[in-house]
Amino acid sequence: TVGGGARPRGDRLDRLAAAVVSYAGGRADALGGGRTLAGCRILPRDRGARLAICRELAAVAPPVPVAPGAAVRWDGRFRVTLSRDARMPPGATIGAAGSGARARPGVPIAVLRTLPALSTPDGALVSAEIDTRQAPAASVSMRSACVVFAPDVPLAAAAFGIV
């Protein structure tokens, strides 16, 4: 689901499972700086207490064009709909926030970098994961967008919104 639909394979999945069990058992170095599998990054957090599982930035889909009134699927994980009155310059795209992601308390930057963001041809970026403020120096407003995590391969039936 997090990897956008890719399926983990046997041996790699077995090795990752063994590393996660070791990590949970108190071996803080079992995952090193993190592992990748099937388009996901598995990152250690809190010395064995928690893991962060996010999309691998290198595996994220390229940006796709978006226009007012349009609905697009992006990265096998998100449905993005812009209102008809969205102020959006020609050439705007939806893609990963990447290095434009801003830190948010409690959320690993690796997660934020792989979430959707609206980009304009002049380089302005508005990330869905940050808030609904208008981007500086651009007429792009996330107030005009509805971004829903609705993966092609869901873990459960319910989708949820990203604010």
Side-chain angles (χ1 to χ4, degrees):
T1 296
V2 173
R7 300 279 189 211
R9 296 191 189 96
D11 290 346
R12 291 196 66 208
L13 182 58
D14 292 342
R15 286 192 302 272
L16 176 62
V20 167
V21 168
S22 292
Y23 175 73
R27 244 192 83 212
D29 65 337
L31 289 173
R35 302 276 180 100
T36 61
L37 181 67
C40 294
R41 266 185 89 188
I42 297 86
L43 303 168
R45 302 210 6 139
D46 303 332
R47 298 183 191 157
R50 296 186 308 164
L51 295 172
I53 300 174
C54 62
R55 184 78 157 113
E56 183 181 2
L57 186 57
V60 168
V64 295
V66 66
V72 297
R73 298 251 336 127
W74 176 72
D75 196 42
R77 302 176 300 147
F78 294 96
R79 184 177 61 240
V80 181
T81 307
L82 293 180
S83 67
R84 293 198 183 284
D85 61 346
R87 294 178 295 155
M88 188 74 51
T93 60
I94 187 83
S99 61
R102 293 183 228 149
R104 184 173 164 188
V107 182
I109 193 71
V111 171
L112 298 174
R113 287 181 176 147
T114 66
L115 294 180
L118 292 170
S119 298
T120 62
D122 65 1
L125 178 82
V126 181
S127 300
E129 82 283 0
I130 296 172
D131 61 25
T132 57
R133 291 178 295 176
Q134 195 165 351
S139 59
V140 178
S141 173
M142 288 305 288
R143 291 183 195 138
S144 300
C146 176
V147 179
V148 178
F149 182 72
D152 292 342
V153 183
L155 284 175
F160 59 89
I162 304 290
V163 178

